[in-house]
Amino acid sequence: MNDTTKDLIVALDIGTSKVVAMIAEVLPNNAFNVIGIGHHPSRGMRRGMVVNIEETIQTIQYAIKEAELRAGFNVRSVCTGIAGSHIHSFNSSGMVAVKDVEITQNDIDRVLDTARAVSIPADQQILHVLPQEYKVNDQDGIRTPIGMTGMRLEVKVHIITGSVSAAQNIVKCIRRCGLEVSDLRLQPLASAATTLTQDEQEIGVALVDIGGGTTDIAVFTEGAIRHTAVIPIAGDQVTNDIAMALRTPTIEAEELKLRYGVAKQGMVPSESVIEIPGVGDRAARRVKRQSLAAVIEPRLEELFVLVQRNLQEAGFDHLIASGVVLTGGTSLLPGMTELAEEVFMNPVRIAQPMYDGNLADLVCNPRYSTVMGLLMAAREKKGEVSTSHMDGHVVGGGFGRKKKSDTEGNVGSGKSVFKAMRDWFVKTF
């Protein structure tokens, strides 16, 4: 199945509810086309973290093998994501004197190194250093300072850290499958790269990625990442509520949620009735569909309230003028937009990956936002599209258009952070 004539990239989304592997071919114009997908129910993960090594390895193997068979190629390395309640973020800044009056990439690397020289707990590892803006002498708001003249260069950055052990466990599972990890990306950043428009990032937007085990938040204003957070409540908690309230097995509860679930009880006709499978030998029974919605709505409302509270505490609830963007599998429930708008008091839309290449009818779905974003990260890493701040141009696969984004081309802050991550992997493993 090997074919060295093709330039391949691979993304692996290890989620709480599913593991998705996606293989794509990089085209001459730096676009890419998806050629293989592997999808398998997840086992061994809980709220974005590995809780059973062997089960996680098995599900990764199933997903990778399925993608390989469909693509006709063997996989050697993958770009994967990380999430979970262990993720923390904060803003920092750095300053250096410009060596040769004219600012070079070396000056940018040095100022980023000073910004990331912060004290963090011993069990935490810096995952990303994301530039927000530069300042040359007294001129601020600069996005690309290379070539400018000045004596002093400053930078404001957003730093994201994660648990060392959580990252180690993910990498260990992948390596036990005979694969290497080419890059490790925070999942909401990957989702943002393929769902948010440049205008939204400029005006101010909050991305809320509702998966199975976690809800990931990423806030952008003035074209740069400002805030990230992870809330350990998501679709699986809705499923568990259904199983307990309606006294039905968890597998059946998930099926009921997907087939009949609605985010707002008032959207269900009062005469609509569904059949609820019983537990064990108990017979199935018929209940009103409104009873199912009555379980779902409070949990989702609680989730949106927690997201809103997080935005308020971070000081961004009044800065997201373009509203809230929902993505992830749970966002597909009918009524999500209406319920979210009631809580956030802002416009809300459901987003899917911006892609119009091969298999677009399948992968342009909110549940694939993270893995498609990881593919973009893999393409960027492989081609080193950009090694300087705010200089990433992404041509879709294609994505059908040229897009310049602060998330793309800068997650990991260029060569210095890629080198730091590589050195960390080598030292740790």
Side-chain angles (χ1 to χ4, degrees):
M1 290 201 307
N2 289 313
D3 186 345
T4 57
T5 63
K6 290 187 179 294
D7 192 7
L8 303 180
I9 52 176
V10 186
L12 180 64
D13 177 16
I14 309 173
T16 302
S17 60
K18 68 183 185 305
V19 174
V20 182
M22 201 169 284
I23 303 174
E25 177 187 1
V26 179
L27 304 178
N29 64 350
N30 206 40
F32 64 79
N33 266 329
V34 177
I35 60 175
I37 303 173
H39 187 289
H40 197 274
S42 183
R43 295 196 305 273
M45 297 288 292
R46 184 181 181 189
R47 295 181 178 177
M49 299 177 66
V50 177
V51 294
N52 187 310
I53 292 283
E54 295 303 323
E55 288 187 345
T56 302
I57 291 171
Q58 191 175 53
T59 53
I60 292 173
Q61 289 174 331
Y62 285 145
I64 290 290
K65 183 58 64 178
E66 183 180 352
E68 287 179 333
L69 290 173
R70 292 185 175 181
F73 300 98
N74 287 330
V75 169
R76 297 175 182 173
S77 66
V78 300
C79 174
T80 193
I82 187 170
S85 56
H86 62 92
I87 297 294
H88 301 284
S89 66
F90 56 92
N91 295 321
S92 181
S93 61
M95 181 183 70
V96 295
V98 179
K99 288 186 175 180
D100 300 316
V101 183
E102 186 174 294
I103 296 170
T104 65
Q105 181 62 47
N106 180 59
D107 295 312
I108 291 178
D109 291 340
R110 288 192 302 117
V111 77
L112 289 174
D113 285 340
T114 64
R116 71 195 307 267
V118 294
S119 176
I120 61 174
D123 62 344
Q124 290 278 303
Q125 166 72 31
I126 292 180
L127 298 174
H128 300 295
V129 179
L130 306 171
Q132 296 172 328
E133 66 172 302
Y134 292 90
K135 182 178 180 181
V136 178
N137 292 348
D138 294 324
Q139 181 183 354
D140 57 13
I142 298 171
R143 297 191 181 182
T144 309
I146 290 182
M148 298 184 70
T149 299
M151 301 295 292
R152 184 179 71 254
L153 177 64
E154 300 177 50
V155 68
K156 293 181 179 179
V157 299
H158 184 67
I159 295 179
I160 299 170
T161 68
S163 165
V164 173
S165 61
Q168 286 176 345
N169 287 333
I170 290 174
V171 174
K172 182 183 296 183
C173 289
I174 294 173
R175 288 191 165 179
R176 286 273 299 275
C177 294
L179 304 171
E180 289 299 321
V181 178
S182 63
D183 200 5
L184 186 66
R185 299 274 171 131
L186 183 68
Q187 289 181 3
L189 294 181
S191 299
T194 187
T195 57
L196 300 182
T197 67
Q198 183 65 33
D199 287 341
E200 286 175 327
Q201 295 182 48
E202 290 288 346
I203 297 171
V205 65
L207 174 74
V208 180
D209 186 349
I210 312 172
T214 63
T215 295
D216 305 327
I217 305 169
V219 177
F220 293 79
T221 62
E222 298 179 354
I225 182 74
R226 304 292 176 179
H227 173 66
T228 51
V230 178
I231 295 176
I233 296 178
D236 283 358
Q237 281 67 47
V238 176
T239 300
N240 292 337
D241 286 353
I242 294 171
M244 294 183 66
L246 301 183
R247 299 188 299 281
T248 190
T250 303
I251 295 177
E252 302 293 347
E254 177 70 14
E255 181 66 23
L256 288 170
K257 182 183 73 175
L258 297 177
R259 181 175 295 185
Y260 303 112
V262 177
K264 283 187 66 63
Q265 187 176 353
M267 297 176 63
V268 180
S270 58
E271 67 277 6
S272 180
V273 176
I274 59 175
E275 186 173 276
I276 306 295
V279 179
D281 296 331
R282 295 175 179 82
R285 65 193 190 283
R286 296 173 66 82
V287 303
K288 287 188 174 183
R289 189 179 174 189
Q290 283 188 343
S291 300
L292 176 63
V295 176
I296 295 174
E297 182 175 351
R299 175 62 82 174
L300 291 178
E301 184 176 2
E302 175 196 13
L303 172 60
F304 290 143
V305 168
L306 289 174
V307 172
Q308 176 75 341
R309 186 179 304 161
N310 183 275
L311 296 176
Q312 289 173 344
E313 292 174 352
F316 290 104
D317 56 317
H318 297 301
L319 299 177
I320 50 174
S322 66
V324 176
V325 174
L326 302 180
T327 194
T330 305
S331 70
L332 290 170
L333 283 177
M336 288 290 284
T337 300
E338 292 80 0
L339 180 61
E341 287 182 341
E342 289 181 4
V343 175
F344 294 118
M345 300 298 291
N346 266 307
V348 176
R349 73 177 179 94
I350 308 295
Q352 62 186 24
M354 294 180 286
Y355 170 81
D356 61 5
N358 189 40
L359 300 178
D361 57 331
L362 176 62
V363 302
C364 286
N365 186 301
R367 61 170 53 94
Y368 293 130
S369 292
T370 297
V371 72
M372 289 297 290
L374 291 173
L375 264 187
M376 292 178 63
R379 187 272 313 278
E380 167 205 319
K381 183 74 163 62
K382 189 179 184 71
E384 294 292 341
V385 173
S386 171
T387 57
S388 62
H389 173 52
M390 304 294 182
D391 195 31
H393 288 75
V394 176
V395 181
F399 281 68
R401 62 191 179 84
K402 201 171 193 180
K403 176 183 174 187
K404 188 172 183 179
S405 165
D406 298 319
T407 307
E408 302 149 3
N410 298 287
V411 177
S413 74
K415 287 182 177 178
S416 61
V417 176
F418 286 139
K419 182 178 183 301
M421 286 296 294
R422 185 169 61 251
D423 293 345
W424 174 61
F425 280 133
V426 170
K427 181 176 71 172
T428 307
F429 304 105

